[in-house]
């Protein structure tokens, strides 16, 4: 069924190896700023047999043609087109910027999804001006510093370096646009409108979108659970992949299969 979406909208997508099972709930995972679908490879594989899991590249990222964008509503409109192109009405999981997109589509097109998971995200994602200006002035230096800060101090430094090396392969205008989109995002006044089941999932050591961001979602959304991943920072899906997978699986067990 995922293939029906990609046959109409050119998007990079990875999904479970087993055939799509309409008796299982479905999940679409969206990466954060400057990211790519493979950041969720371990979740896609780990959820096999329990969830029809897939991960997508946003425009201008990975295998999805550009250009990239600099506003959350623009990314959300593109995602709506992708979802409209096929029958799957998944839970949408978004990491950081992806979480903003998940919240926005829950507001704009709740008919297209069956729930949302915000991983290391929030209802407002202000970016310090010095970060944006620094990335424009010296992309390499600020990428190295920023990504190192994104991981828990308990995370293997080799894994951190791999993340830095991959991000440095991304054209600077892509993450700069993504961070600009985050900086302009704010749906705090509208959170009460979201009636879909939700999960706020966060690394205990996340310094970019700390626990208080997720707790705010739990307090303001009508139906939102909280899950905390120990020994993980902002990049929890790769720092503690098994724990993140199990938290997702527990939430998805309460979601009914949904398709057109």
């Amino acid at each position: 069924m995922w293939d029906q979406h990609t046959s109409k909208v050119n998007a990079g997508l990875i999904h479970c190896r087993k055939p799509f099972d309409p008796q299982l709930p479905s999940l679409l995972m969206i990466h954060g700023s400057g990211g790519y679908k493979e950041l969720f490879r371990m979740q896609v594989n780990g959820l096999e047999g329990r969830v029809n899991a897939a991960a997508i590249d946003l425009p201008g990222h990975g295998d999805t043609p550009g250009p990239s964008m600099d506003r959350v509503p623009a990314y959300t409109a593109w995602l709506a087109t992708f979802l409209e192109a096929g029958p799957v009405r998944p839970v949408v999981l978004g990491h950081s910027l992806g979480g903003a997109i998940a919240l926005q589509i829950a507001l704009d097109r709740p008919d297209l999804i069956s729930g949302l998971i915000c991983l290391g995200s929030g209802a407002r994602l202000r970016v310090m001006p010095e970060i944006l200006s620094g990335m424009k002035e010296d992309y390499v230096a600020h990428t190295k510093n920023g990504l190192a800060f994104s991981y828990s101090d308990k995370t293997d430094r080799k894994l951190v370096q791999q993340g830095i090396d991959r991000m440095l392969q991304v054209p600077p205008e892509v993450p700069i646009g993504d961070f600009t989109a985050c900086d302009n995002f704010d749906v705090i006044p509208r959170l009460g409108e979201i009636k879909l089941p939700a999960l706020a999932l966060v690394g205990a050591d996340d310094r970019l979108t700390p626990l208080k961001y997720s707790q705010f979602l739990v307090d303001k959304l009508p139906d939102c659970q909280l899950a905390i991943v120990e020994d993980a920072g902002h990049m929890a899906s790769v720092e503690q992949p098994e724990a993140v997978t199990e938290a997702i699986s527990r939430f998805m067990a309460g979601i009914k299969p949904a398709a057109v």
Side-chain angles (χ1 to χ4, degrees):
M1 282 187 170
W2 289 118
D3 293 340
Q4 295 179 48
H5 292 264
T6 55
S7 67
K8 298 177 183 176
V9 178
N10 188 1
L13 193 80
I14 55 174
H15 53 77
C16 296
R17 293 161 293 185
K18 290 184 178 180
F20 190 99
D21 185 346
Q23 302 303 312
L24 296 177
S26 299
L27 175 72
L28 181 65
M29 294 176 275
I30 307 170
H31 58 78
S33 296
Y36 43 93
K37 59 187 178 300
E38 284 82 11
L39 289 168
F40 294 113
R41 172 65 74 179
M42 287 178 279
Q43 283 72 47
V44 169
N45 292 343
L47 290 166
E48 192 166 67
R50 295 180 281 179
V51 176
N52 297 308
I56 196 169
D57 286 324
L58 291 171
H61 300 69
D63 296 322
T64 300
S68 57
M69 302 170 183
D70 63 1
R71 292 292 186 275
V72 169
Y75 277 130
T76 303
W78 178 87
L79 179 63
T81 299
F82 173 82
L83 292 173
E84 287 173 335
V88 185
R89 297 294 177 257
V91 169
V92 172
L93 179 154
H95 171 235
S96 199
L97 167 64
I101 297 168
L103 286 165
Q104 192 73 57
I105 200 162
L107 288 166
D108 295 348
R109 293 297 308 274
D111 57 303
L112 294 177
I113 64 175
S114 55
L116 65 154
I117 301 174
C118 292
L119 170 59
S121 194
R124 182 170 62 190
L125 297 174
R126 292 286 184 263
V127 178
M128 291 186 291
E130 54 267 31
I131 292 179
L132 280 172
S133 61
M135 290 182 71
K136 294 174 183 177
E137 293 169 6
D138 190 339
Y139 177 71
V140 172
H142 279 267
T143 296
K144 289 180 178 179
N145 292 336
L147 270 186
F149 192 71
S150 298
Y151 293 81
S152 169
D153 291 337
K154 302 163 191 168
T155 298
D156 189 328
R157 294 299 98 181
K158 291 182 180 178
L159 184 65
V160 176
Q161 189 60 51
Q162 289 173 6
I164 293 171
D165 292 342
R166 178 65 187 260
M167 179 66 90
L168 289 176
Q169 298 173 23
V170 177
E173 63 269 16
V174 173
I176 289 172
D178 288 349
F179 277 113
T180 300
C182 288
D183 192 47
N184 286 287
F185 177 73
D186 183 354
V187 294
I188 287 176
R190 298 186 62 193
L191 286 180
E193 299 174 30
I194 297 175
K195 309 302 182 185
L196 294 163
L199 172 66
L201 181 57
V202 62
D205 303 332
D206 191 333
R207 292 171 287 201
L208 292 182
T209 52
L211 174 58
K212 65 179 182 180
Y213 283 42
S214 291
Q215 186 61 59
F216 186 84
L217 292 176
V218 173
D219 294 341
K220 299 299 181 181
L221 289 171
D223 181 10
C224 186
Q225 304 172 33
L226 175 67
I228 301 171
V229 183
E230 298 297 330
D231 299 331
H234 192 60
M235 303 301 293
S237 68
V238 293
E239 294 177 89
Q240 296 294 338
E242 293 85 4
V244 169
T245 299
E246 290 311 306
I248 295 170
S249 180
R250 287 193 295 271
F251 176 74
M252 293 298 296
I255 302 295
K256 295 180 180 179
V260 173

